[in-house]
Amino acid sequence: MGQGLWRVARNQQLQHQGYGGQGYLTREHGRRTATNNVSNTSHRKQAQGGIDIYHLLKTRKSKEQEGFINLEMLPPELSFTILSYLNATDLCLASCVWQDLANDELLWQGLCKSTWGHCSIYNKNPPLGFSFRKLYMQLDEGSLTFNANPDEGVNYFMSKGILDDSPKEIAKFIFCTRTLNWKKLRIYLDERRDVLDDLVTLHNFRNQFLPNALREFFRHIHAPEERGEYLETLITKFSHRFCACNPDLMRELGLSPDAVYVLCYSLILLSIDLTSPHVKNKMSKREFIRNTRRAAQNISEDFVGHLYDNIYLIGHVAA
């Protein structure tokens, strides 16, 4: 009885407030319209002082392009920003629609320098008819040639004026390029020790822990799969470069390039021991410290222990 009276009273109250029947629909429609207007106004206010994004999204070039934004109708800065996210293949396809925008030299210059960080031609006055789009195609062709035959690839770059015939320029090109096949690169550096020397000097190991510096070194100059003269050459060059970058640390620890050489060789052997599934009895920390200090007696036991912990936790130095 009480609930029935409450419903009657509530219905009468809603009717007096205008929520009954058509009045409720009218008020609800008005409320939603006001909310949408506020939302649209807020959206437009967010774009004040810059680009009216709401207006741009409503822009249509023709009925056939409904839902498709024409980049030519956007501000140039915004169009170039959108196109800068494309790779070379997609940018070529975009040039079929937006020829002037997609062929812009700044876009292709960014693609060249993001893939090939250093080329001799970057620092020269461009020849007549030069374009970064054409240069990108030549760099890509030269990289593919290098990955098939390193000597032919380097000769191709020189013949196109992209690289100077200098060990230092070739080393900088290799150091700043990530598209070269590491196996072919290893063969090339083994034959061109002059380029290898300049490539080593490009590394800065200042204030780096020895195993981490060795990992960085082998990321650029890949270690051979087998022990031999080339591996010994790499470790020797790394040891001298590491000491040159950290003279204060070397004096503090009492280390010489020969001592660093011994530590590097020990780290490589330890990496193989700890990561190889074929080695069942892994070397303990105590064994590593004992064996390393036999080869280099002046090395601190704590320092050698930290070396072991780094390999144990992070992994192989030449992986």
Side-chain angles (χ1 to χ4, degrees):
M1 181 67 178
Q3 294 180 354
L5 292 175
W6 182 86
R7 292 193 183 95
V8 172
R10 181 59 177 167
N11 291 337
Q12 291 177 353
Q13 181 182 6
L14 292 175
Q15 291 176 1
H16 287 299
Q17 293 179 354
Y19 284 91
Q22 186 66 30
Y24 171 79
L25 296 176
T26 303
R27 286 174 175 265
E28 181 67 11
H29 175 73
R31 183 183 66 79
R32 293 181 179 177
T33 303
T35 301
N36 291 335
N37 291 336
V38 171
S39 176
N40 293 337
T41 301
S42 175
H43 185 73
R44 289 190 179 94
K45 286 182 178 180
Q46 291 177 359
Q48 286 180 356
I51 303 170
D52 191 345
I53 302 298
Y54 179 81
H55 174 72
L56 294 175
L57 294 175
K58 293 294 184 181
T59 302
R60 300 290 184 267
K61 186 174 182 180
S62 64
K63 292 184 179 180
E64 290 78 13
Q65 292 179 324
E66 185 174 1
F68 177 80
I69 300 176
N70 187 354
L71 294 182
E72 294 179 347
M73 302 184 68
L74 301 178
E77 296 82 359
L78 183 57
S79 300
F80 289 138
T81 301
I82 294 172
L83 292 175
S84 66
Y85 288 97
L86 302 181
N87 57 31
T89 302
D90 293 336
L91 196 57
C92 287
L93 294 175
S95 66
C96 298
V97 181
W98 305 290
Q99 184 174 1
D100 293 337
L101 290 174
N103 287 328
D104 187 82
E105 282 289 275
L106 289 177
L107 291 175
W108 287 99
Q109 180 180 0
L111 282 176
C112 289
K113 293 188 176 182
S114 63
T115 307
W116 300 274
H118 176 82
C119 293
S120 303
I121 197 172
Y122 293 160
N123 302 319
K124 298 179 180 179
N125 294 326
L128 186 64
F130 172 84
S131 74
F132 277 99
R133 177 171 178 169
K134 180 180 178 181
L135 177 61
Y136 184 95
M137 305 305 173
Q138 292 175 340
L139 286 169
D140 187 57
E141 178 68 22
S143 297
L144 293 175
T145 304
F146 183 96
N147 293 338
N149 188 309
D151 291 325
E152 291 183 4
V154 173
N155 291 333
Y156 175 87
F157 290 130
M158 293 179 182
S159 66
K160 299 298 182 181
I162 298 173
L163 275 182
D164 291 342
D165 189 4
S166 164
K168 183 175 293 185
E169 286 297 301
I170 299 174
K172 289 181 180 179
F173 175 80
I174 294 173
F175 186 79
C176 299
T177 302
R178 300 293 179 267
T179 60
L180 304 180
N181 182 278
W182 64 270
K183 292 183 178 180
K184 297 295 184 179
L185 181 58
R186 185 175 62 193
I187 296 173
Y188 180 77
L189 293 176
D190 191 11
E191 297 175 351
R192 291 292 304 270
R193 298 298 176 92
D194 54 343
V195 176
L196 177 61
D197 290 338
D198 287 315
L199 185 57
V200 172
T201 59
L202 294 175
H203 291 81
N204 184 8
F205 301 122
R206 183 173 178 80
N207 296 328
Q208 291 192 31
F209 194 37
L210 180 60
N212 297 332
L214 197 57
R215 289 189 185 93
E216 179 183 337
F217 179 74
F218 282 133
R219 273 196 294 268
H220 288 95
I221 306 174
H222 295 272
E225 298 176 355
E226 299 178 355
R227 303 178 197 175
E229 186 270 338
Y230 182 56
L231 177 60
E232 294 176 358
T233 300
L234 291 181
I235 298 177
T236 301
K237 294 182 181 298
F238 168 81
S239 302
H240 283 84
R241 182 58 183 168
F242 184 82
C243 292
C245 292
N246 299 279
D248 296 335
L249 179 63
M250 295 301 101
R251 284 193 297 267
E252 180 183 345
L253 297 176
L255 296 179
S256 64
D258 291 338
V260 174
Y261 177 94
V262 172
L263 291 176
C264 292
Y265 224 104
S266 299
L267 289 173
I268 294 175
L269 295 178
L270 177 64
S271 299
I272 297 173
D273 185 275
L274 294 182
T275 60
S276 176
H278 303 292
V279 179
K280 296 182 179 179
N281 297 322
K282 305 296 183 181
M283 184 184 301
S284 66
K285 185 175 182 178
R286 185 182 299 274
E287 291 173 334
F288 177 72
I289 294 175
R290 183 179 66 249
N291 296 337
T292 303
R293 297 195 69 195
R294 284 178 181 174
Q297 299 177 358
N298 296 330
I299 299 176
S300 168
E301 181 174 335
D302 292 337
F303 181 74
V304 179
H306 291 320
L307 296 178
Y308 181 94
D309 294 337
N310 183 279
I311 303 301
Y312 183 83
L313 294 174
I314 300 180
H316 205 301
V317 292

